[in-house]
Amino acid sequence: MPSEDMGKLTYRMRLAFAVATVICLLVLAISPVKDFRAEWKKYKRSFVRYAQGRPDTKKLLADYSPNIDQVWIPGMNVVDRCTTCHQGMTQPSLADASVPQPFRAHPPIPHNVREWGCTICHRGQGPATEIAEAHETTLAWEQPILPAHFLQASCGSCHHADLNETPQLTRGRELLSRLNCQACHKLNDVERPMLGPELSSVGYKVSREWIYKWLKEPRTVLDKDGNVTVNGYENGDESRMPKFRLKDEEIVALTAFLSAQNAQPIESYKINPAVVAAWNKKPDLLPQGELRFRQMMCTTCHPLAVTRAGETKLIGGNIGPELTKVGSKVNEAWLVSWLRNPQGYLAQNNMPRYGWTDEDLYKVSQYVMNQLTDSDLLTTVPKLEAATGDEIKNGKRLFLEKGCASCHSIAGVTPQKDFGPDLTALGSKNASELEFGKAKITHNLLSYIQAKLQDPVSVNPASRMPQYTWNPADLDAVTTALLSQTGPKPTSALQHLTVPKVAASYRAVGDFAEVYERYKCYACHRFNGYGGTLAPDLSYEGSRAQKKWITEFLRNPQTIRPTLILRMPQFNMTDKEVNIVAEYLALAVQKPDVNPQSVDARQFTPALVSMGKQLYEVKYQCQSCHTIGGTGGYVGPNLNNAGNWLTPAWTEAWLRNPQALQPDTIEPRRNLTEDEIRALTAYLMTLKAAIKPQSSTSAANASLAGQGAGR
Amino acid sequence: MKSRILLAMPLLFVALGLSACKKGAEVVKPVEAFGTYDSEPDWNDSTKLVNLGYQEAQGKRIFYLYCVWCHADATPAGPSNRGNLTPVPPLLNDGEKLNGESDEFMQNIITLGGSALGKSAMMPPYGKTLSAGEIQAVIAFTRAIAQPPYQRPGRPGSQYTAK
């Protein structure tokens, strides 16, 4: 470059540099300006003004700093800057609903907000400093705030044992277990799958037409709107069998395969012809059968549909399948064989083995086959020709492909392992990891789960997941339980903070074990944390009940609570069995510190008894909850027969502290003195009423009438 | 040629700076419903829902376990025990009776029972069964469902809003 041109170029260069410098400075200035105008700073300044307008300014601004506030918990990957804007989080004086957000105090919860941070429960982005980025899904930040309605999901990420405080989560986990989701999916904290019935011999039980109807529409009881209420609650899942999207020819092939399943012939039993002949002459065979059916309290486990004023309701327990139309389903030989020995057909099931007389067996089976029926049930089923070999082969393939084999076992069919995707980490998935297909829903995890549960093909047309029917509360409960499946914990520091699920176990021993298995006591009763929750916990029954009373109760079970309509079935136990159970309960299941012999009933003087009566009726007014002789409240058990039923030692211990004996009882613990406890026990021990034998017509009619009242 | 590059450099800076200013992408709004922790249908009008926070929801749970038997007309077991009692206990949502009672009075009568405060001995004490926090939760639930609605006594809330 010639030297004379240097000046010219230098000038242009200078100009360029000058412009560039100005632009550079401007660009550099953007950052501080943006920083100054940051949303969080606005809230910082706004909080100062708000605090100055209140009388407790000094206290509110004690920890104030104009910078970003942060809760940092390295062990749990928590970097939460939420308190930068939510500045009143731990100020009790800002708890009122009139305090504007984001300054309101956090409502009281069992955890300290400062110790745990915010995102552990609420999710969202802790480190973000803008409203949208902290709370919502953006491209860079994928974890949105969990809506308050599903917050219990976060409790479940650490608390693997069930909590009283989280009913929605507990219900969700219960549904995941009840609907057998574990059969196809891997899940944490959900009980092992309760498989659907084994179908190896289903050809003996039901007709091919019935299987067709069942595969097409597994719910048999529906009102005109397609709904039923169970015990007063709207319920869409009374059938655990979901609906599969099957084409007609697929159903035909499956019915061909299933109706050919005849692995083990049923044990045939011939009811004494003399009994049959005698009953067939009487006109009231079916009413007598119904009476017996009700007396045996089959409805404690099996619901039946009742239609009143155009409204269809299911009434009864939910342990066994609904039986409203079972007479149109099963064949009679199978029913008789099943009633006599349910474990002969299905090795694993909770139906007790009743002791039947031929007469009862005939009456009840005739009632079931003739009254619990629906002549229209199979009218929509097309005519099915005899199954061809091809159809059966096809059916077997479909049985595996459609996932039937995951819930129902059939001899000689090996189910595919891990049929559905692993869901143990579903709750921490980002939206980008999910397929939304053509579904017009918000692209986040919550909408995805709800859409998938309601209509699996809406998000994935190739989905093999069947169609469930949910009521809104159950849909949200299952969503909560699925959102709580957040996979392995991020660091070892959190591992020791998580609350593990405690596995309960109980083993019956000796002769009792056999009776326990035969009558399936654990289907309703609980022993040391193991068993059902329908009936009283029997872990300490030996300390509570007198042996003589247990013996009489087993022969002739009565309802002790005035409003209860579910009662223990009458098993027709033999004397030997009754003795084995009474002996075992009285001696083997005692609470160590309540020795039934420790209080001697002979020391109860008449003076003590009359003082106890006064305390019962006047000072403590126990009659507000307990009934004696027909008057009193419906809340607690009736005490008509307390003197024969309860041991004095248990009664005293109970009056001292009911929760020490049964933690979940609702009877409040009172401030009773030892003298008062003794006097009340003395009075209660005088209450003796003979148990009426329960085979009269009126009792069964009363229980029938009582069923209208709900559970 | 060189000068063009020199001029372009600051422009590139500006472009980069501006693109950094732009929001990440369009922000997807979360689902509008589900905003409240729990809810309870208004006892007088089942089409209306009362929104409940955490504490009120715990109160609801405890109410339906311990109190519902005598302080409601329908219970999970069907018939209510309310009609068996004299004097008839107030319904929990009875604002006309309960709004006038202070939180302290409610706390005391639940903790110590009716007879300790000169009321019906049929109301048992729950102080040894429920924690103080659980009793406060029940009171919070009472206040939430009260009809007519409950007004907290004292200084009215600030009219100031954050934005």
Side-chain angles (χ1 to χ4, degrees):
Chain A
M1 180 188 302
S3 61
E4 59 270 26
D5 289 349
M6 291 277 278
K8 235 173 157 183
L9 271 178
T10 311
Y11 172 73
R12 281 177 65 187
M13 286 272 275
R14 274 187 192 157
L15 190 67
F17 272 120
V19 172
T21 311
V22 171
I23 292 173
C24 256
L25 280 173
L26 279 176
V27 170
L28 286 177
I30 290 174
S31 182
V33 169
K34 248 179 84 181
D35 196 37
F36 180 75
R37 294 177 51 82
E39 270 173 324
W40 62 270
K41 286 203 168 168
K42 216 168 68 194
Y43 286 113
K44 278 274 174 197
R45 292 190 289 267
S46 168
F47 182 68
V48 175
R49 286 200 301 276
Y50 176 68
Q52 281 163 354
R54 289 178 61 99
D56 51 350
T57 313
K58 220 169 158 193
K59 197 161 161 281
L60 291 181
L61 295 182
D63 294 334
Y64 177 80
S65 94
N67 305 317
I68 286 183
D69 291 329
Q70 176 169 293
V71 178
W72 180 45
I73 308 164
M76 296 193 289
N77 281 350
V78 167
V79 183
D80 284 357
R81 296 175 171 166
C82 318
T83 46
T84 304
C85 297
H86 294 279
Q87 292 166 84
M89 199 54 82
T90 51
Q91 301 281 2
S93 66
L94 299 183
D96 201 81
S98 64
V99 175
Q101 285 291 30
F103 304 146
R104 207 174 299 156
H106 197 278
I109 53 163
H111 292 297
N112 183 338
V113 184
R114 288 270 166 206
E115 268 170 35
W116 289 85
C118 310
T119 50
I120 290 271
C121 300
H122 290 277
R123 307 195 183 174
Q125 280 74 227
T129 51
E130 278 179 34
I131 296 177
E133 290 186 341
H135 299 88
E136 289 158 22
T137 309
T138 65
L139 264 192
W141 305 84
E142 289 216 273
Q143 189 69 259
I145 286 276
L146 191 61
H149 189 57
F150 298 97
L151 264 185
Q152 292 173 19
S154 300
C155 308
S157 303
C158 296
H159 293 270
H160 301 275
D162 288 344
L163 291 170
N164 289 335
E165 287 83 353
T166 57
Q168 184 165 310
L169 173 67
T170 308
R171 169 73 180 152
R173 283 175 175 168
E174 188 189 304
L175 280 167
L176 288 179
S177 161
R178 188 173 161 76
L179 299 175
N180 215 8
C181 306
Q182 279 251 56
C184 295
H185 299 285
K186 207 161 161 236
L187 292 162
N188 288 324
D189 314 326
V190 177
E191 302 275 318
R192 74 184 161 74
M194 196 286 314
L195 289 174
E198 187 190 332
L199 301 177
S200 298
S201 310
V202 73
Y204 289 115
K205 179 182 177 183
V206 294
S207 66
R208 194 176 166 196
E209 285 71 22
W210 186 86
I211 300 176
Y212 184 98
K213 149 83 185 89
W214 181 250
L215 290 173
K216 192 114 192 157
E217 172 53 85
R219 294 196 296 159
T220 50
V221 179
L222 297 170
D223 69 7
K224 56 186 189 317
D225 307 323
N227 297 311
V228 283
T229 59
V230 177
N231 297 323
Y233 294 97
E234 190 73 31
N235 186 321
D237 63 50
E238 82 284 357
S239 154
R240 276 177 261 187
M241 167 91 177
K243 213 161 156 175
F244 285 79
R245 292 171 297 277
L246 297 170
K247 295 188 201 83
D248 270 357
E249 60 268 26
E250 290 175 330
I251 299 184
V252 169
L254 277 167
T255 55
F257 171 64
L258 289 171
S259 56
Q261 296 307 312
N262 297 324
Q264 194 194 347
I266 47 173
E267 313 163 37
S268 66
Y269 179 77
K270 204 160 164 50
I271 296 175
N272 185 353
V275 171
V276 176
W279 267 106
N280 279 346
K281 283 185 203 132
K282 298 180 192 167
D284 58 346
L285 168 67
L286 296 180
Q288 284 293 315
E290 177 171 13
L291 181 63
R292 199 73 197 114
F293 182 85
R294 298 206 178 275
Q295 279 171 350
M296 295 182 81
M297 292 308 287
C298 306
T299 49
T300 295
C301 295
H302 297 280
L304 286 179
V306 175
T307 303
R308 278 191 203 126
E311 198 188 345
T312 305
K313 281 184 187 173
L314 283 182
I315 287 177
N318 66 353
I319 292 176
E322 168 262 305
L323 295 183
T324 318
K325 299 177 182 178
V326 72
S328 305
K329 169 184 176 183
V330 300
N331 78 57
E332 195 173 332
W334 179 89
L335 178 70
V336 170
S337 151
W338 167 265
L339 289 175
R340 289 187 68 244
N341 181 13
Q343 284 70 35
Y345 174 76
L346 278 186
Q348 298 289 326
N349 78 80
N350 274 347
M351 170 104 170
R353 199 143 44 86
Y354 284 74
W356 292 92
T357 60
D358 271 13
E359 191 166 327
D360 280 349
L361 194 57
Y362 185 64
K363 279 192 296 191
V364 171
S365 59
Q366 285 303 308
Y367 163 69
V368 170
M369 292 310 296
N370 292 306
Q371 294 296 103
L372 300 181
T373 54
D374 177 6
S375 53
D376 295 337
L377 188 67
L378 303 179
T379 47
T380 53
V381 177
K383 183 133 179 52
L384 298 170
E385 308 291 338
T388 63
D390 269 359
E391 274 180 344
I392 294 177
K393 226 175 94 197
N394 223 347
K396 182 171 180 181
R397 181 181 56 80
L398 286 165
F399 190 79
L400 281 165
E401 272 176 16
K402 297 289 173 184
C404 314
S406 297
C407 288
H408 297 281
S409 57
I410 284 186
V413 178
T414 319
Q416 195 183 323
K417 258 193 105 187
D418 301 325
F419 191 78
D422 182 337
L423 299 182
T424 49
L426 178 69
S428 49
K429 282 226 156 88
N430 288 331
S432 60
E433 297 170 79
L434 305 167
E435 275 183 57
F436 288 91
K438 289 194 178 113
K440 288 194 175 62
I441 51 170
T442 322
H443 281 210
N444 65 28
L445 180 62
L446 176 61
S447 316
Y448 171 81
I449 292 179
Q450 293 226 313
K452 177 97 187 185
L453 286 170
Q454 279 177 299
D455 183 7
V457 284
S458 71
V459 288
N460 177 8
S463 175
R464 292 183 295 186
M465 179 162 148
Q467 180 72 52
Y468 289 86
T469 319
W470 307 98
N471 65 46
D474 280 352
L475 177 66
D476 290 352
V478 171
T479 308
T480 306
L482 287 173
L483 284 166
S484 79
Q485 306 276 328
T486 48
K489 300 297 164 284
T491 63
S492 57
L494 192 57
Q495 289 287 357
H496 79 272
L497 294 170
T498 60
V499 184
K501 206 175 176 81
V502 192
S505 75
Y506 168 77
R507 269 176 68 94
V509 287
D511 287 343
F512 176 68
E514 204 178 300
V515 187
Y516 175 78
E517 248 329 300
R518 168 165 186 178
Y519 295 108
K520 307 285 171 194
C521 309
Y522 52 83
C524 301
H525 292 283
R526 191 163 271 243
F527 296 84
N528 293 339
Y530 177 78
T533 51
L534 182 70
D537 187 324
L538 297 182
S539 309
Y540 304 135
E541 190 62 11
S543 297
R544 174 167 62 191
Q546 299 176 22
K547 192 179 157 199
K548 190 159 167 279
W549 179 88
I550 299 177
T551 312
E552 275 169 25
F553 187 86
L554 288 170
R555 290 218 176 90
N556 182 19
Q558 301 276 320
T559 311
I560 300 175
R561 288 175 183 270
T563 61
L564 224 52
I565 57 150
L566 302 180
R567 175 173 60 69
M568 176 148 144
Q570 204 173 353
F571 293 116
N572 304 333
M573 286 187 182
T574 63
D575 285 352
K576 190 173 160 235
E577 285 169 336
V578 167
N579 282 335
I580 289 171
V581 177
E583 193 88 5
Y584 179 86
L585 289 182
L587 298 173
V589 287
Q590 292 193 354
K591 187 157 170 64
D593 49 354
V594 184
N595 175 3
Q597 260 76 51
S598 68
V599 178
D600 186 356
R602 277 171 300 182
Q603 61 184 312
F604 297 147
T605 60
L608 209 55
V609 170
S610 86
M611 177 178 158
K613 190 168 193 296
Q614 294 254 306
L615 289 171
Y616 182 97
E617 286 171 359
V618 184
K619 182 164 182 190
Y620 294 112
Q621 306 208 355
C622 311
Q623 70 272 23
S624 54
C625 293
H626 294 280
T627 316
I628 296 176
T631 56
Y634 299 150
V635 184
N638 82 53
L639 299 173
N640 296 338
N641 198 24
N644 286 326
W645 169 29
L646 301 165
T647 65
W650 177 270
T651 312
E652 289 203 352
W654 182 270
L655 289 168
R656 216 167 275 134
N657 185 355
Q659 279 76 27
L661 303 180
Q662 197 181 316
D664 59 346
T665 182
I666 65 167
E667 170 150 352
R669 187 180 156 196
R670 303 250 188 176
N671 295 311
L672 303 173
T673 65
E674 281 302 307
D675 288 342
E676 288 176 334
I677 289 173
R678 179 78 16 128
L680 278 165
T681 307
Y683 170 58
L684 292 174
M685 288 304 120
T686 63
L687 302 173
K688 294 186 179 181
I691 299 180
K692 287 189 278 335
Q694 207 261 11
S695 58
S696 66
T697 319
S698 64
N701 284 344
S703 86
L704 183 59
Q707 296 192 351
R711 262 173 86 178
Chain B
M1 198 56 205
K2 242 185 191 169
S3 62
R4 279 203 192 151
I5 295 170
L6 281 169
L7 269 170
M9 288 259 291
L11 284 173
L12 200 72
F13 259 113
V14 174
L16 277 174
L18 283 175
S19 72
C21 288
K22 230 178 95 189
K23 280 269 165 66
E26 103 260 35
V27 172
V28 183
K29 285 263 166 216
V31 185
E32 292 298 327
F34 309 143
T36 53
Y37 185 79
D38 198 357
S39 58
E40 168 80 359
D42 187 319
W43 288 14
N44 299 341
D45 177 2
S46 59
T47 59
K48 281 189 204 152
L49 276 185
V50 180
N51 291 332
L52 305 177
Y54 176 81
Q55 193 189 22
E56 293 150 354
Q58 294 308 321
K60 168 181 162 179
R61 177 177 64 80
I62 294 159
F63 171 79
Y64 277 104
L65 218 51
Y66 293 93
C67 325
V68 66
W69 315 106
C70 301
H71 288 286
D73 277 334
T75 70
S80 164
N81 193 41
R82 198 164 163 252
N84 290 334
L85 308 180
T86 23
V88 178
L91 291 174
L92 201 76
N93 75 334
D94 187 345
E96 273 165 29
K97 264 197 188 145
L98 299 177
N99 285 352
E101 308 292 2
S102 66
D103 284 0
E104 288 72 25
F105 176 83
M106 304 266 276
Q107 181 92 23
N108 287 338
I109 199 164
I110 299 172
T111 310
L112 303 171
S115 55
L117 298 181
K119 298 264 184 177
S120 167
M122 288 197 157
M123 169 73 193
Y126 284 91
K128 289 189 167 186
T129 311
L130 301 176
S131 69
E134 286 172 322
I135 296 176
Q136 277 157 17
V138 175
I139 300 171
F141 176 62
T142 315
R143 303 310 195 194
I145 60 165
Q147 281 305 335
Y150 175 71
Q151 295 285 326
R152 195 156 285 283
R155 205 164 57 89
S158 165
Q159 297 306 303
Y160 185 86
T161 54
K163 284 193 182 169

